[in-house]
Every structure is written in structure tokens, then in C-alpha cells.
Amino acid sequence: MALALVLAAVSPEIGGVLVRGEKGTAKTTMVRGLASLLPAVRVVDGCRFSCDPADPDPACPDGPHAADTAVVTRPARLVELPVGASEDRVIGSLDLQQALGAGQIAYQPGLLAEAHRGILYVDEVNLLHDHLVDLLLDAVAMGRSTVEREGVSVAHASRVVLVGTMNPEEGELRPQLLDRFGLTVEVAAPRDPQLRAQVIRRRMAYERDAVGFAAGYRSAERELAERIRAARARVGAVRLADAQLVTIARVCAGFEVDGMRADIVTARAAVAHAAWHGRDAVVKADLRAAARLALPHRRRRNPFDAPGLDEELLDRLLDAEPDPEGPSTGSGPEDDGGPAGEQGGPRPSTSSGHEESSGHEERSAAGQEGACPEPVDGREESEPPSPSTGSGQEGRQTIARAGQTYRTRRFVVAGIGAGEAGRRSRAVTDAGRTIGVSPIGTYGRGLHLPGTIRAAAPHQRARGRTGGGLVLRTGDLRRPVTEGRESNLVLFAVDASGSMAARRRMEAVKTAVLSLLLDAYQRRDKVGLVTFRGDSATLALPPTSSVDAAARRLDALPAGGRTPLAEGLLCAAETLRIERVKDPRRRPLLVLVTDGRATYGPDAVHRSRLAADELRRTGIGAVVIDCETGRLRLGLARLLSVRLGADHVEVDDVAAGTILDVVRRERAA
């Protein structure tokens, strides 16, 4: 992580750093520590947009700047972008009363302007709202931030080094934003007791005397800052041979990355790595270090693939041709080490240790709620498969694997909601089709100019208007009410009983649910997983934004035993009740995957009907995926869907089908 941050500081053109890892690994602490190491920047005195005196922005809102304008030197900035920031705070805002009343543009810069020529840091970047992600994508891609509102256009330079940290348990990044990060690293807490004890000692020493603790490292920080400054001055003179460009292209093609950005970032990172180690030419060690940081997040083929890199394949691709520069002059631990030259450097991108932690934490989090019983020892997920079973052998278990995923139909919650913007159900959101106006401070963002004028026009005489501008009051301002789509909570309740254990049936079920999970990921939904078999129902995964975690739980789900349908419905109802208290705006969608049979306990069928009636009274939107196959069908899942007031879909009809079918369903929705 330290090496990746330093390379981004040496060569900002690399495109920033994404840090993935478990909580409590000092991700934020290390990023904030980078700010004091960055070289100072020269700016035009009085310019709120940090224009470079050597190359001022000709379109700067505070410009144009004369050639003899005063120049000041200030430290480079590290600006933090909160996850809950408003759009106006990110891109800046206009003084609406001056713009409409006096006809003057008064622009207040936002965080993107403040971070120009510095670092923009986003903690928990995977939780950033979609409309803010769109703004970041535009600024990072174009190097400019543009405000287009109410007929007013303001643009300014916004070249930032984007640094983001995230915990993968809480969900993944949008692919477009993920690709904009030049480098990525995986971090985890050390397992060595001595290292962990050292962390504790340093933390306690800092709490006792923060000033004295920092003073003890001041000399080392000065040396590190000087090394970064020297490397930044050297990076433009580092030679990258044509043969090495071919090697970079071969490596990127060998890992089947999409597009050409990976090749360019790898080349820039290799040059920065050589400059960091004081070399005038790139060597093989630089190419290897750059590929390990630039490629892991670009080789993912679908959202359920963990980022990583096959280092044996990397070495084979690098060794396909001899290094034109000869042996590395800096071989050894330092080549892949961090700024302090510590051994180890970036570790291979693996996720096994993290997934173990993730699974334990997810189970612990759900256990606090007590909604449904949960696996506490992992046996349900790791139980080895038994010999092949049929649906009649209820005492045995088997684990079927999902097949190839496919594009699914879009299942929606009926009516119009008001949840977070997404891509599933209709809702009043911050972006979309304008359906009305409201006083400022209620729904929507921005200003609705016609509505504002209509609200102010009847009062102009009473307000003593004499000039050409409107006399506005705060109560006149109107915002648009827009209808778009929201994200939902999609709770999967999966029947894993013996009647589902026939290999082909469970294969089809897992493939369908996995495809629906992929659809939920693309639509920015939260997901949860309830399973029922034997004598109970289990909340296998509490509602979360981590679709990857749901896919892992589903993949390891065994099948066998009786069918406690009533328990499954009640567990789903209790889970949704708790989630409604936590997030009342997010509407749920229950996806019940079953053949409709109820075989556990006395009066199993009657209890299942009562549970279905209870669920229906809550008004929860639901879909029943009918898994019954074969010529002789009982139709129990269809009857259950009627009882629930839910849509009934056979498992073979989950796929989107033809374009004509999609159009018909979209119109009906």
C-alpha cells in the first residue's frame, strides 16, 4: 500500500490508488500520512482554483491571470470527500438570488476545486452514491469539473490524484469507477503476534504524547519527502525501451484485461518505480512491480471474481524475452518494498484470509439481531457433499454447483417508492424524468427555473420591483420533482430441502439465483439470503451490499432433509421487519425459490398458509420462483404465490428471453 501511494505521488498521471481490505488496518491513517510528504505547489496568489503560474487555466473563473501575477507556495492538499456529501458541495454551488435577481454569477468552489493539484480521498468509496460517482468519473476522465445549471456554465481545472479505501464486505465498486483507479492493493492485519504487539505499543505511545511521538519520526519523514521530490523530478528522464513496451502489452494481453488503460497505467507505474529507486531506465523489476499493482482489478471477468493476479503466469510473460537492460541493479526486497525499504512489499492478491474474516463477521452481525437461527460453526457452508441423493432420501445432503449465469427479467416492487437511486423499481429520486416541482428543501436537487419564476411573478408589484431583474425570496425557489428508479432490498428465500436435492433441479435453482444476484449487483440493490431445510430456517446472509458474499454462501449451500416452508416464510418476514426499522425508505422484494411443498412438522401445510397470509398482510412485494419440474406437477408453488399475492415465475422463465419479451415486460412494469 505504501509503495502504491508513493508511486501515485511520484507520477500523478498514474491515476490514483484503490485500497481494499478489512476494517481496522489503518488504511485511512496511511492515506492521511501521505499529505505531509507531498512536494509543495506554486499557485497564483488569490486564485481559489489553485492555478499553476507556469500554466494557468485560461478558463479559470477567477481569471484570466496576468503574467506578472503574484505567486505563493503552499503545501499540497489532501481533501476528503465524505460519502454523504451533497452534489453542490462536490462541484460547487451558485448564489441563486444573485444569479436570478441581479444577473451576476457568484460561484462558490467545491471539493473538486479545492483538491486540484492534490489528493482527493474517499473513505468507503464503494458506498458513494451513484450521482457523486458520475461527477467523479467526469472530473477524473476530463481533468475538469463543469457546472451546467439554470443556463449558467462554469468550468475549472480539476486534476486530482484519486485515492479510495473500501471494505469489500460492504459491496463492490461500479466497474467504470474501478477502472479509473490506476493501482490497487489488498491489505490485511498481520497475524504475527510480535507485529500486532508493536502496533499496540505505537498506538498507546501516540495517545500518551502525540507531539513527542510525531517528533520521533520527523527526520525519517523529511528524508522520505525529499526522496519523493527527487523521484518526481527524475521521472521525466527515465527511459522505457520499445521492447519493454512490447513486454507490457504481452503481459496485459496475457491476463485478458479489457481496453488499453491497463497497458498505459502499467507503463507509467514502471517508469515511476524506476524513478523511485533512482534508476534512469526501466528494468524487469520495475515492470513486475507495476503489473502487480495495475492489473489485479482489471482482470475480473464478472462481479463475483475476486481481484488477484497469477504471479507464475506474470513471471512467464515477463521472462518470454530477455530484459534489454540486463540484471536489475536494485534486486532484492527493496524492489517490491514500501517507501521505507521494508521487506515484503505488496503481497500476492489473494482473498482466502479475507473471506474467512468476512464470513465470521457477517454471521456475527446477524447474530446480534436474532432474526433467525444462523450457522455458528460454518458446518452448513463447508459440509462435504454426501453421495448422490434423490429427493426421497431426506437424511442425506448434496452440494450442486451453479451453471453459467444469464441475463434475467427485471422483477420490480409495485407502486412508486422514495428510496435511494438505483435501477430497479419506480421511485421519486434525485435524477430522472421531471414530473412536477416542489418548494426548495423538499424533494429533488438543483433549481427548477420555470417553477421559480411562476412562484415569484405574482408578487413583483408588492415587492416594489422597478428594474429588469426579478425580486426573489427564498420561498419562491422551486426544485424539480423527478421520477427515476430506486434500489431495493432483494431477500432471497431458498428452499434447500430434499425435494430440491435432485442434481439438475438444484443446479437450475442455483444458476437462476446467481443470475438474479448478478442482476441485483448491476441494479445497486442490497441482498440477503434465507435458506430453509430439515427442521429450521437460517439467515445465511444478513442484508448487505456485498453481492459477492451472497454468491459464496449460495455456492456452498447443501440440499437435503424435509421442507420447513412455514419456518422459511416466518424467518423472511422477521428479517424484513428488522430491515424496515433500520431503513424505512428502502422497499423490499422477497424472492421465494421453492417447489411449494411443506413436509416438516404437524399441520405443515396449514402453518405454511398462515405464514403466507401473515406475509401478505405486511404488503411486501414478492416473486415465487417455481422449481417444480417434470411432467407430473402438483402446482403447489403457484397456489402459494396466490396466497402471497406474489408473481409466479417458473425457474426456466427467469431468463430475460427475446427482445420482444423484454419490451412487453418493461411496458407492463
Side-chain angles (χ1 to χ4, degrees), residues 170-189:
E170 298 171 332
E172 291 293 338
L173 275 179
R174 280 172 53 181
Q176 298 92 334
L177 183 58
L178 180 65
D179 191 50
R180 286 294 174 181
F181 284 99
L183 310 177
T184 186
V185 290
E186 294 263 349
V187 296

Side-chain angles (χ1 to χ4, degrees), residues 87 131 416-422 425-439 442-448 478-486 585:
E87 181 178 333
H131 68 279
I416 299 179
E420 296 292 342
S425 304
R426 293 175 60 193
V428 175
T429 59
D430 289 337
R433 179 173 60 93
T434 300
I435 59 174
V437 295
S438 67
T442 53
Y443 292 110
R445 299 197 317 269
L447 181 75
H448 191 272
R478 296 292 185 268
R479 286 185 171 177
V481 177
T482 52
E483 180 184 303
R485 294 197 180 275
E486 66 179 353
R585 292 182 59 202

Side-chain angles (χ1 to χ4, degrees), residues 533-536 562-567 597-605 607-608:
R533 65 183 180 90
D535 59 359
S536 64
R562 295 186 179 274
T563 310
L565 181 57
E567 285 73 10
R597 299 181 185 181
T599 61
Y600 168 73
D603 297 326
V605 174
R607 290 189 300 108
S608 299

Side-chain angles (χ1 to χ4, degrees), residues 301-314:
R301 309 313 301 171
N302 66 65
F304 302 140
D305 290 339
L309 205 65
D310 183 343
E311 297 209 21
E312 292 184 3
L313 174 59
L314 174 61

